[in-house]
Amino acid sequence: MSIGKTEELVLNMGPQHPSMHGLFRMVVHLEGETVTHIDPKLGYLHRGMEKLAESRTYTQFIPYTDRLDYLASPHNNLAYVQTVEKLMGVEIPERGEYLRVIFAELARIASHQVMIASTALDLAGWTAWSYAFRDRERICDMYEMTAGSRLTVNIMRIGGISAEPPEEFWPALQSFLDDSPEMIEEYYGIFFGNEIALGRLKNVGILTKEMAENLSVTGPVLRASGVDYDVRKAEPYGIYDRFDFKVPVRTGCDSYDRTILRLDEIVESIKIIKQAVRDIPGGPIMAKVPKVIKPPAGEVYHRVENPKGELGFYIVSNGTTKPERLRIRPGTFINLQMLPIVAKGWKIQDVVAIFATLDAVLGEVDK
């Protein structure tokens, strides 16, 4: 006797769901526990940032960028202020450039620590979660010393950086760098080498190289599919061309490689910070820019390698104190295209793991 198909079940996941990383909702069509279709629903955290920019001065808009990928605020700041500086032709003092790199790479490490921790937590790995969050607190302490905040860290300025780090910043940074080999070994021992994590992530959610390129995927998700592309190398910005670092690439194309690639990137970020600390010169941290920012009329696009993918800003200036138009290219918004394609045919619990490896922050997705 043949057994017919089970009745289709339509299941809402999110926006109030602990595994949806903010306010993401997806309508999941199931046959038994197997996913047949996913319909992503976005916009629950939409705040109209691009339109708000038109009624804010160039300087007033900087804090709004903190609220995009709020787990890597300095990167959002950096992408925006460098776009304005590109339009104005501003040259940043050497010390300001090195401090920007230090804070940008600290933000990359902190963002990847949250990704590793939340992926572990989505797989019910409470212990692994606590290890990564413990270490991230040290970076938040360094943020607070310099910028006064721990999450929405508003530290970049048009022309440089907001403040010189206090004396206690440098010993805290050196201590963090010294402890990093043990920290990375712990992550591997508690999570990446764990047989449950391997079983849940290995060969699950395959994103082929061709598919990743066709969907314009960027960041660690792209590099985990075997594509050697990083904006810091492909189109260096700031002073990144002075640093010796590798672009981690893995070819497994699965959820495990998308996760462990973040650990590879933490290693490279630590190398960059060590070089920056070694080579940082004295001098000013801010260029001489007008108190009232009025870029010349024109348009500009600039992109950076955000921890979650390529983040770009497109600005149209009409020569006044406010942009005529501002457009944000968020990496995670574009990366989310892969979810309905890659998750099809997997079990409902695998969808949670696949979504976790995208490292989506809805502040950046919805804007």
Side-chain angles (χ1 to χ4, degrees):
M1 186 176 79
S2 62
I3 300 174
K5 288 186 177 181
T6 59
E7 184 180 345
E8 182 184 64
L9 173 67
V10 179
L11 178 69
N12 265 295
M13 291 188 68
Q16 284 80 30
H17 189 288
S19 294
M20 291 298 101
H21 295 228
L23 288 169
F24 180 67
R25 174 181 166 229
M26 54 182 170
V27 180
V28 186
H29 296 251
L30 299 168
E31 186 179 308
E33 289 192 8
T34 303
V35 175
T36 57
H37 177 69
I38 288 179
D39 188 9
K41 302 291 184 182
L42 304 175
Y44 289 91
L45 199 55
H46 178 58
R47 296 147 293 172
M49 283 199 179
E50 294 167 328
K51 192 66 181 174
L52 283 169
E54 298 173 19
S55 59
R56 303 293 186 275
T57 67
Y58 286 93
T59 303
Q60 285 175 339
F61 188 68
I62 299 174
Y64 286 84
T65 65
D66 302 343
R67 278 80 178 166
L68 292 169
D69 176 6
Y70 42 77
L71 297 177
S73 299
H75 269 279
N76 310 324
N77 292 171
L78 183 62
Y80 171 70
V81 299
Q82 284 188 335
T83 308
V84 179
E85 289 160 1
K86 193 174 180 179
L87 191 57
M88 296 175 66
V90 176
E91 190 172 333
I92 311 305
E94 284 286 292
R95 185 170 180 81
E97 289 279 24
Y98 277 91
L99 286 172
R100 280 182 170 186
V101 169
I102 289 170
F103 278 99
E105 293 308 312
L106 282 173
R108 191 181 310 278
I109 294 169
S111 175
H112 287 344
Q113 285 171 329
V114 174
M115 185 275 171
I116 292 167
S118 58
T119 302
L121 192 61
D122 286 348
L123 304 181
W126 285 90
T127 306
W129 168 84
S130 64
Y131 275 68
F133 261 80
R134 174 202 64 189
D135 297 330
R136 176 177 169 268
E137 283 298 296
R138 297 172 68 177
I139 295 177
C140 292
D141 290 341
M142 288 183 267
Y143 285 162
E144 191 173 13
M145 290 175 195
T146 310
S149 54
R150 302 175 69 85
L151 184 67
T152 51
V153 184
N154 187 249
I155 198 165
M156 308 294 177
R157 294 292 181 271
I158 297 167
I161 200 161
S162 65
E164 181 71 46
E167 287 184 16
E168 60 267 27
F169 173 85
W170 300 105
L173 177 59
Q174 191 58 55
S175 173
F176 180 81
L177 296 174
D178 292 342
D179 293 342
S180 59
E182 183 182 351
M183 174 182 78
I184 289 160
E185 189 178 339
E186 283 182 334
Y187 294 169
Y188 187 84
I190 200 72
F191 181 55
F192 291 104
N194 183 286
E195 62 180 313
I196 298 173
L198 288 165
R200 292 291 307 275
L201 298 173
K202 273 280 188 185
N203 301 316
V204 173
I206 303 297
L207 176 68
T208 64
K209 180 180 178 179
E210 294 74 20
M211 189 188 300
E213 290 175 333
N214 290 339
L215 292 174
S216 298
V217 169
T218 56
V221 178
L222 176 69
R223 293 188 284 275
S225 291
V227 181
D228 185 357
Y229 178 80
D230 186 311
V231 180
R232 293 172 296 173
K233 290 284 192 181
E235 194 177 295
Y237 51 92
I239 56 170
Y240 272 104
D241 54 350
R242 303 183 191 179
F243 297 99
D244 178 26
F245 68 99
K246 296 176 183 176
V247 176
V249 177
R250 288 185 175 255
T251 55
C253 306
D254 58 9
S255 295
Y256 184 81
D257 275 12
R258 286 193 290 274
T259 309
I260 199 170
L261 192 96
R262 268 74 175 200
L263 191 65
D264 299 339
E265 293 201 351
I266 289 174
V267 173
E268 296 305 313
S269 291
I270 288 166
K271 284 168 57 177
I272 293 171
I273 295 170
K274 284 180 176 178
Q275 293 171 62
V277 171
R278 181 194 66 201
D279 299 336
I280 188 169
I285 58 172
M286 275 290 293
K288 291 182 179 179
V289 294
K291 287 187 176 180
V292 178
I293 303 293
K294 280 187 179 182
E299 58 186 66
V300 65
Y301 179 76
H302 179 69
R303 55 187 181 150
V304 304
E305 186 65 37
N306 186 277
K308 296 167 180 60
E310 181 182 312
L311 173 64
F313 280 85
Y314 171 69
I315 296 176
V316 178
S317 169
N318 55 10
T320 66
T321 59
K322 301 172 184 176
E324 184 175 335
R325 184 74 176 91
L326 184 142
R327 177 78 173 89
I328 303 167
R329 188 246 188 238
T332 44
F333 173 74
I334 292 165
N335 290 356
L336 273 173
Q337 294 177 94
M338 66 164 272
L339 183 62
I341 302 168
V342 170
K344 188 175 180 179
W346 291 97
K347 303 296 184 185
I348 186 68
Q349 63 267 31
D350 296 321
V351 174
V352 171
I354 293 167
F355 180 70
T357 64
L358 292 180
D359 194 18
V361 167
L362 273 294
E364 183 182 77
V365 172
D366 291 341
K367 293 176 287 185

